[in-house]
């Protein structure tokens, strides 16, 4: 299709050059649930629940003002879509200590932008995002509500601690292919779900892989005590073992109430030539890092690292310049600070105009939401007949080597028995309140096939090319 700015097809070299230069609701839907909320979005961003008290206010990225505006979202700039709506849903975890709702909120913002600029061949997307609290019966009920009451034809934006494991069989039974930002194992090991992110296991792999490459010889790996911790830790354990490094695994109850004790424990475990690697949402990781600074522990280990959720300006700003070049974060998506690429400009424009519910502002969660909206839009635009569960799932499966502008690799959904389409990452580090690409080893790097799950996926799907 033709657009005033064809920002989806630039080369990977251009993406990396741009980085180098600058560098997981009050309204109810047509059905109801006592344990969650949902809100349709047509010409406005989806409504989200209020942010937790520890979350920052929405902000914009640092991309310089450019020529790309929200009119680039659709085929008819400024013309609101008025056709029959295409119903899509999402299920995200939102509870104390774990909040992935910024993902579906940014996806809703993307769809609102699309709807305001011609929609999908004239059809608006009606979005039904709901949140859950790690309750299997609640999650199963929400999935059936979305299909049978809200009549969704696709699921775009799922990000939940256990949703994939709860609903995998149901999605297969009704023929829905989910496009999400996964957490639990079934998000990556089943045929009906593919994610834009690596999830906590493979993102933690990347963080551990990075500090080992920089010379750390011992890892203290800590994560929130939620379902799936053993599955997550198995990846970093395998990566460390392959490099001959020792690793000690820890878990913490969230919300965190004893950050000083945790920081002291981790620094002791890692030792002066080791690294502390954290896998928490930003507010919880921040508590540990701030405790380390208060206790003057930040220089007692060789490196600090973190999985993808830490990649948010909220955390970099809160930590301040003392952590410049000291903390290294796996970045599954394009570093945005200082980036003037067309993708960064469009992200910035959508966040400013439609992203009032994105409480965390610029960060990995909002980038995931943007990328989900982008891939879904690309797939939906390829449909020539009715928008049905079958046609939407087929369109997603047909996405191959698609350059999102946000990922190191071309994105492929495919018909594989398992899905880890994003398995190459950046590494970023704080720089005076922003995250920038690490000057050493920060460029696109394949996640190690020492993790047996990565090796198994590449055996069936191969290694996707660099985007471009």
């Amino acid at each position: 299709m033709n657009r005033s700015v064809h920002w989806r097809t630039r080369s990977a070299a251009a993406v990396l050059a741009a980085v180098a230069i600058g560098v997981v609701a009050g309204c109810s839907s047509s059905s109801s649930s006592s344990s969650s909320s949902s809100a349709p979005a047509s010409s406005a961003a989806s409504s989200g629940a209020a942010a937790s008290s520890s979350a920052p206010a929405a902000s914009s990225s640092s991309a310089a003002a450019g020529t790309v505006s929200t009119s680039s979202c659709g085929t008819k700039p400024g013309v609101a879509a008025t056709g029959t709506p295409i119903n899509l849903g999402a299920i995200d975890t939102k509870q104390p200590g774990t909040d992935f709702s910024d993902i579906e909120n940014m996806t809703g913002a993307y769809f609102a932008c699309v709807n305001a600029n011609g929609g999908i061949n004239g059809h608006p997307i009606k979005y039904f995002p709901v949140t859950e609290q790690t309750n299997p019966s609640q999650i199963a009920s929400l999935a059936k509500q979305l299909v049978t009451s809200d009549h969704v034809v696709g699921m775009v934006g799922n990000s939940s601690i256990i949703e994939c494991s709860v609903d995998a069989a149901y999605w297969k039974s009704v023929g829905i292919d989910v496009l999400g930002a996964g957490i639990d194992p079934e998000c990556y090991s089943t045929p009906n779900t593919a994610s834009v992110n690596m999830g906590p296991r493979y993102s933690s792999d990347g963080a551990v892989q990075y500090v080992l490459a920089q010379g750390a010889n011992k890892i203290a790996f800590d994560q929130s005590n939620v379902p799936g911790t053993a599955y997550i830790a198995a990846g970093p354990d395998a990566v460390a073992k392959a490099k001959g490094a020792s690793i000690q695994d820890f878990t913490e109850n969230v919300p965190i109430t004893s950050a000083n004790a945790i920081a002291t424990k981790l620094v002791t475990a890692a030792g002066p030539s080791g690294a502390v690697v954290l896998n928490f949402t930003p507010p919880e990781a921040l508590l540990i890092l701030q405790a380390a600074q208060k206790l003057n522990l930040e220089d007692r280990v060789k490196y600090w690292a973190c999985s993808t959720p830490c990649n948010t300006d909220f955390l970099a700003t809160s930590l301040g310049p003392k952590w410049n070049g000291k903390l290294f974060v796996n970045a599954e998506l394009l570093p945005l600070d200082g980036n003037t690429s067309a993708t960064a400009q469009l992200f910035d424009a959508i966040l400013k105009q439609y992203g009032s519910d994105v409480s965390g502002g610029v960060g990995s969660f909002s980038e995931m939401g943007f990328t989900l909206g982008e891939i879904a839009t690309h797939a939906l635009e390829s449909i020539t007949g009715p928008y049905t569960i079958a046609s939407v799932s087929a369109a997603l499966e047909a996405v191959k080597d698609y350059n999102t502008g946000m990922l190191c690799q071309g994105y492929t959904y495919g018909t594989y028995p398992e899905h880890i389409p994003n398995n190459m990452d950046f590494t970023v580090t704080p720089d005076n309140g922003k995250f920038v690409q690490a000057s050493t080893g920060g460029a696109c790097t394949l996640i190690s096939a020492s993790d047996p799950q990565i090796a198994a996926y590449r055996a069936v799907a191969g290694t996707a090319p660099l985007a471009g």
Side-chain angles (χ1 to χ4, degrees), residues 35-62:
S35 58
S36 68
S37 59
S38 63
S42 53
S43 60
S46 61
S47 296
S52 67
S53 59
S54 60
S59 62
S60 62
S61 79
S62 60

Side-chain angles (χ1 to χ4, degrees), residues 225-460:
N225 186 23
V226 297
T229 54
Y231 153 77
I232 295 168
D237 289 355
V239 171
K241 182 179 179 180
K243 291 294 185 181
S246 62
I247 184 168
Q248 190 171 356
D249 300 328
F250 301 90
T251 61
E252 313 298 341
N253 293 330
V254 292
I256 286 173
T257 58
S258 55
N260 288 357
I262 294 169
T264 301
K265 172 183 68 178
L266 295 175
V267 167
T268 301
S273 60
V276 174
V277 179
L278 305 176
N279 177 44
F280 294 90
T281 57
E284 306 304 311
L286 178 62
L287 290 174
I288 297 172
L289 295 169
Q290 288 180 325
Q293 183 171 330
K294 182 176 70 174
L295 298 171
N296 295 313
L297 298 175
E298 69 273 17
D299 292 323
R300 296 278 297 276
V301 296
K302 196 173 184 71
Y303 298 104
W304 293 80
C306 198
S307 60
T308 292
C310 290
N311 181 24
T312 169
D313 286 353
F314 152 62
L315 189 140
T317 301
S318 300
L319 287 176
K322 195 168 185 180
W323 288 85
N324 287 358
K326 189 168 296 183
L327 171 68
F328 297 90
V329 179
N330 173 276
E332 303 169 14
L333 301 102
L334 183 70
L336 289 178
D337 288 323
N339 192 327
T340 58
S341 68
T343 297
Q345 291 180 43
L346 184 62
F347 173 93
D348 189 57
I350 291 176
L351 182 63
K352 286 179 178 177
Q353 187 168 348
Y354 299 102
S356 61
D357 289 325
V358 182
S359 61
V362 179
S364 290
F365 288 173
S366 52
E367 283 193 78
M368 290 174 195
F370 175 97
T371 307
L372 287 161
E374 179 188 6
I375 295 171
T377 298
H378 167 72
L380 291 170
E381 288 172 340
S382 70
I383 298 173
T384 56
Y387 298 94
T388 64
I389 287 176
S391 67
V392 170
S393 291
L396 285 173
E397 290 177 1
V399 174
K400 181 173 176 58
D401 294 337
Y402 175 61
N403 181 14
T404 66
M406 281 289 189
L407 304 178
C408 285
Q409 298 167 291
Y411 186 88
T412 295
Y413 197 117
T415 57
Y416 308 119
E418 53 199 274
H419 295 277
I420 316 175
N422 182 359
N423 55 83
M424 181 185 287
D425 70 334
F426 300 93
T427 298
V428 296
T429 187
D431 181 18
N432 296 320
K434 303 293 183 182
F435 271 110
V436 300
Q437 184 175 314
S439 58
T440 301
C444 289
T445 303
L446 283 170
I447 298 299
S448 173
S450 298
D451 185 326
Q453 300 298 325
I454 293 290
Y457 173 74
R458 290 188 184 140
V460 297

Side-chain angles (χ1 to χ4, degrees), residues 3 7-8 41-46 68-81 105-120 123-127 345-356 369-370 373-374 377 381:
R3 290 189 176 172
W7 48 273
R8 292 176 171 174
S42 53
S43 60
S46 61
V68 179
S69 69
T70 54
S71 63
S72 300
C73 294
T75 55
K76 295 182 178 180
V79 179
N105 289 340
M106 189 64 181
T107 302
Y110 192 101
F111 290 156
C113 186
V114 170
N115 292 344
N117 294 279
I120 305 297
H123 297 272
I125 296 170
K126 191 173 184 180
Y127 197 42
Q345 291 180 43
L346 184 62
F347 173 93
D348 189 57
I350 291 176
L351 182 63
K352 286 179 178 177
Q353 187 168 348
Y354 299 102
S356 61
F370 175 97
E374 179 188 6
T377 298
E381 288 172 340

Side-chain angles (χ1 to χ4, degrees), residues 178-232:
V178 177
L179 181 64
I183 307 297
D184 52 334
E186 288 78 4
C187 300
Y188 303 92
S189 61
T190 54
N192 285 76
T193 296
S195 297
V196 300
N197 65 324
M198 295 178 186
R201 174 167 172 158
Y202 312 116
S203 178
S204 296
D205 284 358
V208 168
Q209 182 177 320
Y210 180 82
V211 294
L212 290 175
Q214 304 312 307
N217 61 10
K218 189 176 183 180
I219 305 295
F221 176 64
D222 202 3
Q223 59 180 319
S224 55
N225 186 23
V226 297
T229 54
Y231 153 77
I232 295 168

